[in-house]
Amino acid sequence: MKKTLAGFAFAIVILFASPFRTWSQKAINPIIHADVPDLSMIRVGDTYYMSSTTMHMSPGVPIMKSKDLVNWQLVSYAYDILDDVDALNLNNGKSTYGAGSWASSLRYHNGTYYVSTFASTTRKTYIYSTKNIEKGPWKKIAFQPMLHDHSLFFDDDDKAYMLYGAGKIMMAELEADLSGIKAGSTPQVLIQNASAPAGNNIWLQAEGSQLFKVNGKYYLFNIAWPRNGMRTVTIHRADKITGPYEGRLGLQDKGVAQGGLISTPKGEWFAYLFRDYGAVGRIPYWVPVKWEDGWPVLGVDGKVPDTLNLPANKSLMPGIVASDEFTRKKKDAPLPLVWQWNHNPDNAHWSLTARPGHLRLTTSRADTSLLLVKNMLTQRTVGPTCAGTTAIDVSNMKDGDCAGLALLQKKFGWVGVKAENGSKSIVMVSGAKDKPEELQRVPLNQSTIFLKAECDFRDMTDKAYFYYSLDGKTWTKIGGVLQMEYTLPHFMGYRYGLFNWATESAGGWVDFDWFRFQTIQL
């Protein structure tokens, strides 16, 4: 069964991969139609690397690689777990949704790669370093205070700084070993009101600092959000890192903002930015840059273009999202990089070896909410439309267990199996309201069930549909339409999640045979 369905899935992928991009010979914005926010980017030789935010997910701070600035693949993470605390472990009723590690800063200096980030969960600043950004290992430094939305910057004299803050931008010099703020030094105010270029009626003060040095001048990029307006790029320039800085509005179109500058080996310049785009998340856009009077000028006549003079976009599979048959060879990593756990995993209660060719999730305790369930294995959804399917053996569920396929956000939805009073049922549950609702129930009289969730992100429609199948061929819609919503408490685009959840007693398990990702036409 697995081989037959794998062939079918492969054919579907080839037929529908990137259906909206197939005939373009140029890059199309958005560059990545998936949740990849808070970008930081470097180029080393002819290779680009990019870090972004995944907050409460583990492993964290994903590193992506590209040779053409358009087509990216995951190659690493800066850490396996950020820290060992209850909120990150989903213990004692605590979680860190919408928190964890935020906007990272990626740098390359004297042969070493650095990724820094910060976390409101622990109130710490973190710096990870490695000689090999794709294979590691990574060295970790953590210190207080937490420096919000900072930019790590190495100057030509090898001094290291962090620029940080909101509205009022601060600068702190770091110790030579980066172990903290330099002893005896005092952080200084670099720019008193970095929001000023965006106007005087500001809803979100300037933050998201990224500092660059080009032709001897310092350029600081920030995002500000005018009230009743849109996300806006501001740029400040100075001859010395300490200032004084003069500022101007950098870009105000489509809400595309927050990021920085990158150049190609040919000397072409682009700004890498992102856009809030509903339930799929915050999606990356590139904007061409030209230089005038020593200032970077963003966009085409001040606008974000739909196409770019860069190579055409290819499918996001398998570089960003991917199917998984859960078969592993001896030298394979336990999980492909497309997967992340919701919060820190409990490694004693998941396995790819207990039943080879399957992902086994075993419950370790009873929980009161899907959002507190350990070992939910997730990966991104993508736009404009996509589908995730899975096959699951539910033979060993215990009464009170729930297992299946979720679309994870605060207003979640899931399709799966409930075990109650010695019998099992296929159910669809919506978390769109304050209290989750079971919208439909169908008796289940077999051990294997096939589940599917489709997402429609076109023009921020943000609707999801759920299905089940008894044979993997004929699909039946179940429950209602989930109106997906990007909520700030989770601060992340919807993700597919595989889960097994006990509500009564621990010890039941389920075996996922495969997970298949497809871009589709609705």
Side-chain angles (χ1 to χ4, degrees):
M1 175 68 76
K2 178 178 284 194
K3 291 183 178 179
T4 302
L5 290 174
F8 174 75
F10 179 77
I12 291 293
V13 167
I14 294 300
L15 181 60
F16 291 124
S18 299
F20 298 90
R21 304 175 185 265
T22 303
W23 308 113
S24 173
Q25 298 303 311
K26 293 183 177 181
I28 297 175
N29 270 321
I31 295 296
I32 301 173
H33 201 144
D35 193 54
V36 184
D38 302 331
L39 316 168
S40 185
M41 195 184 300
I42 58 173
R43 177 175 58 83
V44 180
D46 64 352
T47 304
Y48 304 91
Y49 293 102
M50 178 168 69
S51 65
S52 70
T53 293
T54 49
M55 295 179 292
H56 48 276
M57 297 291 169
S58 293
V61 186
I63 307 296
M64 300 182 184
K65 171 186 177 181
S66 176
K67 286 289 189 178
D68 60 12
L69 202 55
V70 176
N71 298 290
W72 295 84
Q73 68 179 76
L74 283 157
V75 294
S76 182
Y77 289 93
Y79 62 78
D80 288 327
I81 65 169
L82 179 69
D83 243 318
D84 185 11
V85 297
D86 280 354
L88 288 164
N89 292 330
L90 285 174
N91 280 342
N92 297 316
K94 295 182 179 181
S95 70
T96 190
Y97 287 108
S101 63
W102 277 15
S104 59
S105 182
L106 177 60
R107 293 289 182 258
Y108 180 71
H109 181 67
N110 291 342
T112 299
Y113 296 88
Y114 298 88
V115 178
S116 60
T117 186
F118 68 102
S120 60
T121 309
T122 59
R123 311 302 297 178
K124 293 179 183 178
T125 298
Y126 298 83
I127 301 176
Y128 300 89
S129 61
T130 184
K131 293 291 185 180
N132 189 328
I133 194 170
E134 298 186 34
K135 297 181 179 180
W138 292 84
K139 175 187 174 183
K140 173 184 174 180
I141 293 173
F143 61 83
Q144 290 181 318
M146 176 193 81
L147 302 182
H148 174 80
D149 268 17
H150 65 253
S151 178
L152 177 62
F153 184 81
F154 295 93
D155 213 341
D156 295 338
D157 59 4
D158 290 334
K159 289 184 178 180
Y161 302 88
M162 278 188 173
L163 286 76
Y164 61 96
K168 181 168 63 177
I169 303 302
M170 306 291 294
M171 183 177 75
E173 184 177 351
L174 301 182
E175 295 281 7
D177 63 1
L178 309 182
S179 58
I181 295 175
K182 186 176 180 180
S185 70
T186 301
Q188 68 180 85
V189 177
L190 206 63
I191 304 172
Q192 185 66 41
N193 181 14
S195 308
N200 57 13
N201 190 11
I202 301 296
W203 174 67
L204 177 69
Q205 294 292 334
E207 59 179 13
S209 293
Q210 295 202 32
L211 184 67
F212 307 89
K213 191 172 186 179
V214 182
N215 295 328
K217 291 185 180 293
Y218 299 86
Y219 296 89
L220 178 64
F221 275 59
N222 289 101
I223 173 189
W225 198 329
R227 204 174 299 276
N228 300 318
M230 67 179 72
R231 302 168 79 255
T232 300
V233 178
T234 64
I235 305 173
H236 286 79
R237 182 183 73 175
D239 293 323
K240 297 180 180 179
I241 193 170
T242 53
Y245 283 82
E246 56 179 325
R248 60 166 55 178
L249 191 149
L251 182 70
Q252 195 172 61
D253 184 43
K254 299 180 181 177
V256 174
Q258 191 166 342
L261 290 170
I262 196 73
S263 65
T264 70
K266 295 180 180 179
E268 304 161 300
W269 287 84
F270 293 88
Y272 55 87
L273 307 163
F274 67 85
R275 180 184 185 187
D276 294 312
Y277 205 73
V280 75
R282 297 179 286 170
I283 60 179
Y285 281 69
W286 296 174
V287 176
V289 172
K290 59 182 178 180
W291 291 86
E292 293 182 358
D293 300 324
W295 285 94
V297 178
L298 277 58
V300 178
D301 297 326
K303 301 296 181 182
V304 176
D306 293 328
T307 61
L308 300 161
N309 290 319
L310 288 168
N313 313 66
K314 298 177 183 177
S315 174
L316 299 184
M317 298 177 283
I320 306 296
V321 294
S323 300
D324 193 346
E325 298 297 310
F326 298 123
T327 56
R328 300 290 184 266
K329 298 178 181 178
K330 286 185 178 181
K331 294 184 179 181
D332 289 345
L335 291 170
L337 294 172
V338 296
W339 290 113
Q340 288 174 286
W341 297 103
N342 178 26
H343 291 67
N344 293 345
D346 172 5
N347 291 320
H349 290 89
W350 70 273
S351 176
L352 289 163
T353 58
R355 184 180 176 184
H358 295 75
L359 167 69
R360 176 167 294 180
L361 297 181
T362 303
T363 62
S364 60
R365 66 185 187 192
D367 282 303
T368 58
S369 166
L370 174 73
L371 299 180
L372 293 176
V373 173
K374 283 179 173 284
N375 288 353
M376 184 185 298
L377 189 61
T378 81
Q379 62 172 288
R380 292 171 177 84
T381 57
V382 305
T385 54
C386 66
T389 57
T390 190
I392 176 173
D393 183 339
V394 298
S395 304
N396 296 287
M397 295 176 70
K398 299 177 67 173
D399 273 2
D401 288 359
C402 305
L405 173 64
L407 284 170
L408 178 63
Q409 233 275 359
K410 184 176 186 292
K411 297 187 176 182
F412 59 82
W414 62 269
V415 59
V417 175
K418 279 186 177 181
E420 293 177 326
N421 301 318
S423 63
K424 298 182 179 71
S425 301
I426 309 165
V427 299
M428 185 266 160
V429 174
S430 171
K433 298 181 179 179
D434 290 340
K435 185 176 181 180
E437 294 181 287
E438 183 185 301
L439 299 186
Q440 188 175 352
R441 174 181 291 241
V442 178
L444 177 65
N445 298 308
Q446 60 189 57
S447 60
T448 298
I449 184 69
F450 303 84
L451 308 171
K452 177 165 66 173
E454 294 179 344
C455 299
D456 184 358
F457 300 114
R458 293 173 296 180
D459 300 318
M460 290 190 279
T461 299
D462 293 347
K463 295 187 184 300
Y465 309 89
F466 297 86
Y467 304 82
Y468 72 91
S469 173
L470 300 178
D471 59 8
K473 299 176 182 178
T474 302
W475 293 93
T476 301
K477 188 174 287 188
I478 185 171
V481 177
L482 176 68
Q483 184 61 57
M484 295 182 286
E485 181 181 334
Y486 187 97
T487 69
L488 291 182
H490 276 215
F491 213 3
M492 182 176 288
Y494 276 77
R495 297 176 74 98
Y496 286 110
L498 306 179
F499 69 90
N500 185 25
W501 165 28
T503 64
E504 295 182 12
S505 61
W509 73 84
V510 296
D511 292 327
F512 291 90
D513 194 359
W514 42 259
F515 174 82
R516 295 187 184 135
F517 193 99
Q518 304 167 15
T519 54
I520 58 173
Q521 291 179 322
L522 291 174

